[in-house]
Amino acid sequence: LESVAKYEGMINTMGAVTLVFYYLYLNTQQFKRDALTGALNRRCFYLDTEKNAANISAVLSIDLNNLKTWNDKYGHAKGDDAIRTTAHSFQRVLPKNCYLYRTGGDEFMMLCFEKNRSKIESMLADIHTELAKTPYDCAIGIAYRRADEDFRELCSRADRQMYENKAQMK
């Protein structure tokens, strides 16, 4: 357009506008993510559940076991490594439309949207395979959506399953 229509500065202006929008995009993404793990943060968890509650097919509640022991025995840097490593293990196997959220210190939630049970079970097996490659273990609870079930009840069932799994692991 610059050479044909004799517009001067069009390329520079478009480049500047593109950079501004890219900068704004990066900043908004930064506020959605947990700094340590790169997982989506607790705020995103609540926003996503409000916006897409009807499409959630399963919720996973995940708790890293023995974080206090890692922190007390080896220091908080090792505790951070444990959190980061487990989060990356989850992220490596997440299929499309499943999202990981860090909702607390060593607590994670996973939302699966429009997935069937067999795909979620396959992902869960992959998570266990990835975790087996690390020195860490996690208690995991899963709740599949029931017809006309309130989201809070779905999360409560996932939490109960996670605590049952934690008790079995001890």
Side-chain angles (χ1 to χ4, degrees), residues 135-148:
Y136 315 112
D137 62 328
C138 294
I140 301 174
I142 185 165
Y144 295 98
R145 186 67 171 262
R146 296 177 183 157
D148 298 326

Side-chain angles (χ1 to χ4, degrees), residues 139-159:
I140 301 174
I142 185 165
Y144 295 98
R145 186 67 171 262
R146 296 177 183 157
D148 298 326
E149 181 176 31
D150 179 61
F151 179 73
R152 288 182 182 194
E153 178 56 32
L154 182 66
C155 285
S156 293
R157 283 193 306 113
D159 279 341

Side-chain angles (χ1 to χ4, degrees), residues 100-142:
L100 178 68
Y101 304 84
R102 184 174 178 206
T103 55
D106 63 345
E107 297 155 356
F108 297 89
M109 296 294 280
M110 211 178 278
L111 296 177
C112 297
F113 295 93
E114 299 175 3
K115 289 284 179 201
N116 65 31
R117 191 177 277 237
S118 65
K119 288 194 185 265
I120 295 169
E121 294 292 333
S122 175
M123 176 193 66
L124 195 55
D126 292 341
I127 287 172
H128 287 297
T129 301
E130 285 295 316
L131 283 175
K133 298 174 186 176
T134 72
Y136 315 112
D137 62 328
C138 294
I140 301 174
I142 185 165

Side-chain angles (χ1 to χ4, degrees), residues 65-102:
N65 291 332
N66 304 316
L67 180 63
K68 182 170 175 19
T69 303
W70 283 98
N71 282 335
D72 292 348
K73 191 172 182 180
Y74 303 109
H76 287 276
K78 284 291 186 186
D80 285 351
D81 285 344
I83 293 168
R84 189 181 307 109
T85 300
T86 54
H88 292 173
S89 295
F90 303 143
Q91 290 165 328
R92 276 194 288 278
V93 299
L94 279 180
K96 184 179 177 185
N97 294 328
C98 287
Y99 302 95
L100 178 68
Y101 304 84
R102 184 174 178 206

